[in-house]
Amino acid sequence: MQLTTWLRLVLGRTFRRAGHRTALVAAGLPLHLAVVPLWLWLLGTMAALVRAPGAVAVTPLPVLLTLVVTPLLTVGQRRRYRALVGKDLPRPAVPGPGRNWKSAVRRLTGRALWRQVCYHAVSGPLLAVLDLAVLAVWAVALVAASIYVWIWALPPQWRVTDLGYTTQAAYITVGGLALLFLGPRLTGALVRLETRAAEVLLGPSRTEKLARRVADLAESRAGVLDAADAERRRIERDLHDGAQQRLVSLAVNLGLARSTLGDLPEDARKVIDEAHREAKEAIAELNNLVRGLHPAVLEDRGLDAALSGVAARLPIPVRVAVALPQRPSPTVEAVAYFVVSEALTNVVKHAQATRADVTVERIGETLLVVVADDGAGGADLAAADGTGLAGLAKRVASVDGTFSCRSPAGGPTVITVELPCAP
C-alpha cells in the first residue's frame, strides 16, 4: 500500500500537466516556423539581386508579407497559451484607432509591431529547434520504453533466430524510462522559456507596464479619495441631523425650564443655567467640527457660497472671486475649499494682514486657486512642521495638484494652487 502511494506521488509530481505542456510545444512548432519560408525567400531574392540587379523589385515582398502575417501569428500565439495552459498574455499598448494613413504609419513605426516581428522572425525559429528537440525526446522515450511491444509485433521467426534481443531490449527500455522522466522537466523548462519570450516580445514593454501601473495606482487612489470624501460627507450629515439636533433640543428645553420654573431653589437654577450654557457651547463646537469635516453649503451651493461664508466669519476683509463655468468633482472641490479655508486661517493667525484676496477660476482642465494677503510675509514651506503650509501641500498633492507659496520678508504672501479637473 505504501509502495503504491509512493509511486502515485512520484508519477503525479513528474507527469503533472506534462500533457498540456507537450501539446503547447507541439502547437507552437508550426507557428514558430511560419515566417521561415518568407525569410528564406528574402535570402533567395537577395542572392538573386547580386547576380541580377533587376530582382530588386521583388526584394521587399517577403518583408511586407512578414508585416502582414505578424499580427495573425500573434493572435495564434495568444490563443495557443489561452487554450492549452489557460494563460492570457498581456497585450501591448496600440496606437489610436483609425483607418487613415497616419494611423497606418503609427502602427508600422510602433515598437510593439517590431517587437512582434522580432519574436516571430528571430526567436520563433530558435524556439522551433528546441520544440523539435523536446518532441524528439518524447518520441524516442516512448518508442524505447515500449520496445518489447515493437519486438513482439515482429514475426516469431526473428525472435527465435535472435535470442539476444532480450538483454539489449532491457537496456533500451531502461533508457526509455529515464527519458520519460526527463521529458517533463525538459518540456517545463522550454515552456517557461517560451512564455518568458512571449511576455517580453508579444506583451507590453517595461515602460508600458510602469505606465499602466501608474495609471492603475492613480485610479485606485482617486477611488480612495472619493470614498474618504463621501465618508466625511456622511459623518457631517449624521452629526448635523442627529447629535446636533439633539443638542439644540436639549438647549431649548433647558432654556424653557429656566424661564418657566420660577420657584426653583437658587442652586437648581444655577445648575440649569450652567447646563444651558454648556449645551450652547457644545452646539458651537459641533458646528465647527461639522464645518471642518465637510460644510453642507459646499455640497449644496458650491465653492462660491462656501468660500463667501468662510470670508464672512473672518475679522479682516476678504475679497472672494469665483469664476467656474461648471463645478469640478466633489473631491477637487473639497480640496480647494479646505486649502482656502486653512490659508485664510493662517493669514489671520500669523500674517498680521489687513486684507486678503481669494481668486478661483478654471483654465482648461485646471482649477487655479490663488490666496493673497498684504501681511508681513516670511512664510516658509520648507520650515513647516507637517501642519499649516506643509499640510496644505500634502492635501493638494493627494489629487496630483501643485502647490507654491511666494512669501518674501515684508510681504505680500501669495499661495498658488493648481488642481486637475476631471473632464
Side-chain angles (χ1 to χ4, degrees):
M1 185 66 181
Q2 293 180 353
L3 179 61
T4 304
T5 304
W6 179 81
L7 287 175
R8 187 182 302 153
L9 180 63
V10 171
L11 293 176
R13 288 182 177 179
T14 303
F15 295 98
R16 183 182 302 163
R17 303 192 66 182
H20 291 84
R21 292 173 177 173
T22 306
L24 182 73
V25 172
L29 182 59
L31 293 174
H32 291 151
L33 293 175
V35 183
V36 173
L38 296 177
W39 287 95
L40 292 177
W41 182 16
L42 177 62
L43 293 176
T45 54
M46 292 179 65
L49 180 62
V50 176
R51 298 188 300 268
V56 66
V58 188
T59 304
L61 288 180
V63 178
L64 294 177
L65 289 176
T66 300
L67 294 178
V68 171
V69 301
T70 290
L72 301 178
L73 294 176
T74 301
V75 172
Q77 293 287 359
R78 296 185 188 281
R79 291 182 177 178
R80 176 172 73 107
Y81 279 95
R82 187 184 305 112
L84 296 176
V85 293
K87 180 178 179 60
D88 287 323
L89 294 177
R91 297 179 180 272
V94 296
R99 296 183 179 274
N100 52 16
W101 65 272
K102 293 183 179 180
S103 176
V105 170
R106 283 197 300 268
R107 290 190 179 93
L108 288 176
T109 57
R111 297 180 61 183
L113 175 62
W114 289 101
R115 285 168 48 237
Q116 294 176 26
V117 171
C118 180
Y119 176 85
H120 296 298
V122 180
S123 300
L126 298 178
L127 293 175
V129 174
L130 297 178
D131 291 341
L132 287 172
V134 169
L135 293 177
V137 168
W138 277 108
V140 171
L142 291 175
V143 171
S146 59
I147 189 65
Y148 280 104
V149 176
W150 300 104
I151 291 176
W152 282 97
L154 294 174
Q157 294 80 4
W158 184 89
R159 295 195 300 271
V160 173
T161 57
D162 191 1
L163 296 177
Y165 75 89
T166 54
T167 303
Q168 298 176 359
Y171 290 138
I172 295 175
T173 302
V174 171
L177 292 176
L179 285 179
L180 279 179
F181 278 89
L182 181 62
R185 289 172 172 79
L186 292 177
T187 306
L190 180 57
V191 168
R192 288 191 293 271
L193 177 62
E194 290 192 10
T195 303
R196 180 58 180 167
E199 289 176 345
V200 171
L201 295 177
L202 300 183
S205 63
R206 187 170 184 272
T207 303
E208 293 174 349
K209 290 180 180 179
L210 290 176
R212 289 184 182 181
R213 180 61 176 164
V214 170
D216 292 341
L217 290 176
E219 183 178 355
S220 62
R221 185 185 63 178
V224 171
L225 292 175
D226 291 340
D229 187 63
E231 184 66 13
R232 283 197 300 268
R233 291 196 299 269
R234 184 191 66 79
I235 295 174
E236 178 269 330
R237 288 193 299 268
D238 291 345
L239 291 176
H240 182 272
D241 299 336
Q244 192 174 26
Q245 297 302 322
R246 290 179 179 272
L247 285 175
V248 170
S249 177
L250 175 61
V252 170
N253 291 332
L254 290 174
L256 290 175
R258 185 181 60 180
S259 60
T260 57
L261 300 177
D263 55 348
L264 290 176
E266 187 64 24
D267 293 340
R269 183 175 295 277
K270 288 183 179 180
V271 171
I272 293 176
D273 291 340
E274 182 67 19
H276 185 253
R277 181 180 61 80
E278 290 184 357
K280 292 193 293 184
E281 291 178 356
I283 293 173
E285 292 179 1
L286 190 58
N287 280 332
N288 293 331
L289 176 62
V290 169
R291 192 179 299 115
L293 286 173
H294 190 88
V297 66
L298 176 62
E299 185 174 358
D300 296 337
R301 301 176 57 188
L303 270 175
D304 195 358
L307 295 181
S308 298
V310 173
R313 293 191 297 270
L314 297 178
I316 63 173
V318 179
R319 184 185 68 87
V320 178
V322 179
L324 296 177
Q326 60 182 7
R327 294 181 63 172
S329 65
T331 302
V332 172
E333 196 175 52
V335 170
Y337 170 82
F338 287 115
V339 165
V340 173
S341 178
E342 183 66 23
L344 291 178
T345 301
N346 291 338
V347 169
V348 174
K349 289 182 178 180
H350 309 295
Q352 302 175 0
T354 59
R355 62 173 292 106
D357 294 307
V358 176
T359 303
V360 180
E361 58 182 335
R362 182 164 179 169
I363 303 176
E365 298 301 331
T366 301
L367 184 67
L368 179 64
V369 180
V370 180
V371 181
D373 66 78
D374 60 352
D380 187 4
L381 178 61
D385 57 356
T387 59
L389 294 179
L392 293 181
K394 291 180 180 179
R395 187 185 288 270
V396 170
S398 67
V399 292
D400 287 335
T402 59
F403 178 92
S404 64
C405 178
R406 181 170 57 85
S407 181
T413 298
V414 179
I415 295 176
T416 304
V417 173
E418 296 182 1
L419 302 173
C421 295

